[in-house]
Amino acid sequence: MRFQLITWQCRFIEPTILVDPPLDSAIMTEEIFGPLLPIITLENIEDSINFIKARPNPLALYAFTENENLQKRLVSETSSGSLMFNDAILQYVVDALPFGGVGGSGFGRYHGKFSFDNFSHEKAVIMRGFLVDFWFRYPPWTTQKLQLLKAGLRYDYLGLVLIALGLKSKA
C-alpha cells in the first residue's frame, strides 16, 4: 500500500473575487463555503438599500465606503447576521462577537437564555478606516507575522515595535 503525505501548503485555495456575478447564479443564491467573495456594484444609497431588502437576509454584509450616511442607513435599514465596513471576514475571527444570521440562518439556539439570545438579534457592526492597513495580517504567514498578530491582540504595543524591528523573537 502506498501513502502520500499531503501538507497544508498544497491545500491552499486562493481567494476569488467575483465582480457583478449574475444575480440568479449559484454564488448569489446559495451559501458560500470557501474563499469566494461576490462584489455587487450599485450606483447610489437607495439602490444599495433596496438591493439588500429585496433578498433574503445575508449571513454577512460587507460595505466598502466612507460615506457616513450610507453606513448609518445600512445599520438601521438592513438586516444581516453581521455588518462590516471596509474589510471582510474579521467578524469570524473575533470570538467575542455573536455568530449567526437572521431568519433561516439564525435558527437553532433556544431553551433558557439561548431562547432570549436567539430571538434578540445582536448585529455585529465593524468599521475600519482606509488610513492604515497592517501588512502582517495577510498571507503568506510567517513566524514574524504571527508574532505581530499575537502581540496586537494582547495590546502589547512595545512588543509590536520590538518584533517589527527584529529586536524580539519567539522565546
Side-chain angles (χ1 to χ4, degrees), residues 6-62:
I6 299 174
T7 63
W8 279 108
Q9 287 83 4
C10 64
R11 291 186 182 216
F12 180 76
I13 301 172
E14 286 189 26
T16 302
I17 295 174
L18 304 160
V19 179
D20 293 320
L23 298 181
D24 60 350
S25 64
I27 193 74
M28 294 301 297
T29 59
E30 303 293 328
E31 285 189 78
I32 301 171
F33 295 99
L36 304 171
L37 184 63
I39 304 288
I40 305 298
T41 53
L42 299 162
E43 293 296 321
N44 56 50
I45 293 173
E46 290 305 319
D47 288 347
S48 301
I49 302 291
N50 291 335
F51 180 88
I52 295 162
K53 290 171 104 174
R55 285 159 182 76
N57 296 327
L59 184 58
L61 177 60
Y62 305 107

Side-chain angles (χ1 to χ4, degrees), residues 59-127:
L59 184 58
L61 177 60
Y62 305 107
F64 292 85
T65 181
E66 288 186 317
N67 182 320
E68 290 184 21
N69 186 32
L70 174 58
Q71 291 174 351
K72 288 177 185 175
R73 290 195 58 194
L74 286 172
V75 170
S76 64
E77 296 179 36
T78 67
S79 184
S80 59
S82 60
L83 171 57
M84 177 171 263
F85 294 106
N86 306 323
D87 212 330
I89 312 301
L90 284 180
Q91 76 277 17
Y92 298 111
V93 177
V94 180
D95 61 3
L97 293 176
F99 178 80
V102 178
S105 63
F107 297 139
R109 293 184 51 180
Y110 52 91
H111 294 299
K113 179 183 180 307
F114 296 107
S115 293
F116 179 82
D117 291 344
N118 187 50
F119 296 107
S120 301
H121 177 67
E122 298 173 318
K123 181 192 311 187
V125 176
I126 304 101
M127 203 168 296

Side-chain angles (χ1 to χ4, degrees), residues 135-136 143-153 160 163-164:
W135 57 270
F136 53 83
T143 301
Q144 183 191 27
K145 283 184 176 183
L146 292 174
Q147 287 176 313
L148 288 165
L149 286 170
K150 288 177 184 176
L153 290 172
L160 270 170
I163 293 166

